[in-house]
Amino acid sequence: PSVEDLAKALAPYEALGWQPRNVGERTLIPYARLQLKKARLAGGKRFYTGADTTGNLIQQGMKALALVKREKPFLAQPGELSECAYVTSNDGTVQPYYLYLPSNYDPAKPWPMLVFLHGYVPTISVLAPWVLGKDSYQTAEKYGFILLTPYGRRNTDFQGIGELDVEEAIREVEDLYSVDHERIHLT
């Protein structure tokens, strides 16, 4: 499939506006839209990991859309860093966030969450996001907390539109995962 094929597959959902009917649409359509955005930006070139190519992004987007029909949500996988996405309330754009759930994550109990705001990174982009290193995820494992890293539209200092993105990413994670609302920490 091509970038055009993914765009065509997304078109029926785009025509409806952002009115998700279930958690599958709420999580998978933004993820597919993010893959399309990244594929268009990549323009056929390899980028940040060297393994991600336009073709891989298109495949991920198409796979997500195939799951929409089964109403299966796109959720972060415990024990690994997951790229997730949501549609913003202010301008309807798709924005990524990066989520780490401890490998023993159990949705039956509320988990503390640490929200990490990246610093200024001149090269940050949707194709080359700034995420924490493995030692941070090992710390989340050891102490048992969810780790959220909002993208915040690159280098906004998380003010204005970037601040809204932080708030919306937090709300999205609170709605989809078992978060202890009394133990959300920002760093």
Side-chain angles (χ1 to χ4, degrees):
S2 67
V3 170
E4 293 77 25
D5 293 330
L6 180 53
K8 190 175 181 179
L10 272 165
Y13 301 107
E14 301 290 354
L16 296 173
W18 184 237
Q19 301 288 328
R21 295 170 287 200
N22 57 57
V23 71
E25 287 185 359
R26 177 182 171 182
T27 57
L28 289 160
I29 293 168
Y31 181 78
R33 283 180 64 189
L34 177 63
Q35 300 317 306
L36 176 61
K37 178 179 183 176
K38 289 167 51 174
R40 284 178 170 154
L41 289 170
K45 299 176 189 148
R46 289 184 180 274
F47 52 95
Y48 66 97
T49 66
D52 287 325
T53 63
T54 305
N56 292 347
L57 296 169
I58 294 165
Q59 290 290 341
Q60 291 172 31
M62 295 297 256
K63 183 178 173 183
L65 290 177
L67 291 173
V68 168
K69 294 177 179 131
R70 293 192 280 165
E71 297 183 18
K72 297 266 185 184
F74 177 85
L75 297 174
Q77 296 301 304
E80 62 185 63
L81 180 64
S82 298
E83 178 183 57
C84 305
Y86 65 96
V87 174
T88 63
S89 64
N90 63 330
D91 62 6
T93 61
V94 64
Q95 295 297 320
Y97 64 93
Y98 306 91
L99 191 65
Y100 183 85
L101 301 175
S103 57
N104 63 343
Y105 172 77
D106 177 359
K109 75 171 199 163
W111 290 76
M113 181 167 70
L114 181 69
V115 181
F116 183 85
L117 305 182
H118 63 76
Y120 178 81
V121 182
T123 58
I124 193 172
S125 74
V126 174
L127 293 176
W130 192 93
V131 294
L132 294 163
K134 289 185 181 208
D135 57 336
S136 298
Y137 308 116
Q138 291 168 348
T139 302
E141 279 291 325
K142 180 178 178 180
Y143 294 104
F145 60 87
I146 296 170
L147 184 55
L148 167 63
T149 306
Y151 177 62
R153 305 199 195 210
R154 295 189 60 183
N155 292 311
T156 62
D157 291 330
F158 299 101
Q159 296 177 0
I161 199 165
E163 181 178 0
L164 180 63
D165 286 345
V166 172
E167 292 170 0
E168 289 195 357
I170 290 170
R171 268 194 302 277
E172 186 76 4
V173 173
E174 284 181 305
D175 286 350
L176 296 171
Y177 304 91
S178 184
V179 174
D180 182 343
H181 305 289
E182 298 297 317
R183 295 189 297 164
I184 297 175
H185 307 278
L186 185 70
T187 184

